[in-house]
Amino acid sequence: MLKILNCFKNTYDPDTMPEADWLSGISSGEFDFSGLKSQIDPCSESGLELTLRAADENRAAVSLTGLTFGPAASDKTLRTLYALGFDECVRIDGRPDPFYPEQTAKVIAGFCGDSEDYDLIVLGAQSQDGNNRKTPYLLAEYLGMPFVQNVTEYSLTEEGRIRITREVAEGICEETRDLPLVISVGDVPETLLRVPALLQRKDASGREIKVVPFAPDTGADIPAIEVEKIEYVDQSRAGEMITGEGPEEIAKVIYERFIQGQK
């Protein structure tokens, strides 16, 4: 049986934070994201859906494990994965430094070392907070496994290999690779995570989520990083609302001010 580990990340969308909260954080040096809605990172979501599609072809021959970091609030997403057919869901109880991917990769590698060997490890290429694109590379290096990036689709062969479609500089590349392997997935179009039915959610409600303590001391020295300056960038666009009694009057205003006036 092929064992697949799919690592994913729940993030907060900083674009939804009110301007007043940004300004307050700039003055204090600390930002409170607790009021923002947590969501699966887009690249992670694509990876999860691609894994489910690959498993659909021969579900009995594949074992799926979902892994994420975070507090107990992340359990909601893990239960969704149970409802969608994942065999095991694991939460590492803590958050690594998003700006230091070495720590993230070391913790995941430590988990893999303490667990049974995985034939395939799937990760999102990057996340909205760290946005460094390094974690999959580092994880493959720490585990001593081959790595393939920019995967847009994959399937499993009867011979226990993986058929990959990925983006390269020249276009699209299709290849078949041996396992074990680490792959990274970007934000692939039309790969929104499927929604489980109510009965599937009910069946998964009692499944146990394995909680692993967060061990930040993994041999990866974290450099002392100090924030020197934070500035709010106004990204609003200059504009003007043109009003009138009807389309003809609005068109007349546009013509007189922006067309005739330029002549």
Side-chain angles (χ1 to χ4, degrees):
M1 177 175 288
L2 292 178
K3 298 178 180 179
I4 301 177
L5 174 66
N6 200 308
C7 305
F8 69 95
K9 192 171 189 178
N10 281 315
T11 59
Y12 301 108
D13 185 358
D15 292 335
T16 62
M17 178 177 282
E19 179 180 344
D21 290 347
W22 278 116
L23 295 175
S24 174
I26 290 173
S27 61
S28 65
E30 296 182 359
F31 296 93
D32 182 12
F33 298 106
S34 60
L36 300 182
K37 182 180 179 180
S38 176
Q39 60 187 13
I40 303 177
D41 182 80
C43 294
S44 294
E45 183 173 17
S46 293
L48 289 168
E49 178 58 27
L50 290 183
T51 293
L52 287 169
R53 292 179 187 180
D56 286 341
E57 300 175 5
N58 192 354
R59 189 63 188 86
V62 181
S63 174
L64 303 180
T65 298
L67 173 69
T68 190
F69 290 85
S74 302
D75 290 354
K76 180 179 179 181
T77 305
L78 292 169
R79 296 201 181 282
T80 296
L81 295 185
Y82 267 140
L84 292 174
F86 271 67
D87 300 284
E88 182 182 37
C89 289
V90 183
R91 174 171 58 84
I92 298 177
D93 192 20
R95 289 188 182 276
D97 188 332
F99 302 110
Y100 194 62
E102 288 85 352
Q103 185 186 52
T104 304
K106 280 285 187 179
V107 173
I108 297 175
F111 168 79
C112 294
D114 294 337
S115 306
E116 297 184 16
D117 293 336
Y118 292 100
D119 300 292
L120 178 65
I121 302 178
V122 183
L123 301 93
Q126 63 186 31
S127 61
Q128 292 174 308
D129 48 7
N131 200 30
N132 52 66
R133 299 183 69 91
K134 292 182 179 180
T135 304
Y137 295 85
L138 292 166
L139 178 62
E141 179 180 348
Y142 295 152
L143 293 175
M145 295 171 62
F147 172 66
V148 176
Q149 63 175 339
N150 299 331
V151 174
T152 59
E153 185 179 0
Y154 79 87
S155 60
L156 304 170
T157 70
E158 294 181 357
E159 297 79 20
R161 306 178 75 199
I162 180 172
R163 188 178 296 109
I164 293 172
T165 302
R166 63 189 181 99
E167 295 180 349
V168 295
E170 297 78 11
I172 302 298
C173 174
E174 295 183 357
E175 58 184 317
T176 301
R177 301 287 295 264
D178 293 325
L179 298 173
L181 190 67
V182 176
I183 65 174
S184 70
V185 178
D187 187 5
V188 182
E190 300 181 3
T191 53
L192 293 176
L193 184 63
R194 61 191 69 179
V195 179
L198 182 61
L199 184 59
Q200 290 176 302
R201 288 190 178 277
K202 183 178 179 180
D203 291 340
S205 61
R207 299 282 299 275
E208 179 184 0
I209 294 174
K210 181 179 179 180
V211 180
V212 178
F214 177 56
D217 184 14
T218 56
D221 295 330
I222 301 177
I225 300 175
E226 183 178 350
V227 178
E228 296 183 354
K229 186 177 183 181
I230 302 176
E231 294 182 351
Y232 177 78
V233 178
D234 185 4
Q235 296 181 324
S236 60
R237 298 181 178 180
E240 178 183 351
M241 181 69 71
I242 299 176
T243 60
E245 294 296 331
E248 294 181 356
E249 183 175 338
I250 294 175
K252 181 180 179 181
V253 173
I254 294 174
Y255 175 76
E256 292 177 347
R257 292 182 55 183
F258 301 101
I259 300 178
Q260 189 177 47
Q262 299 295 326
K263 295 181 178 180

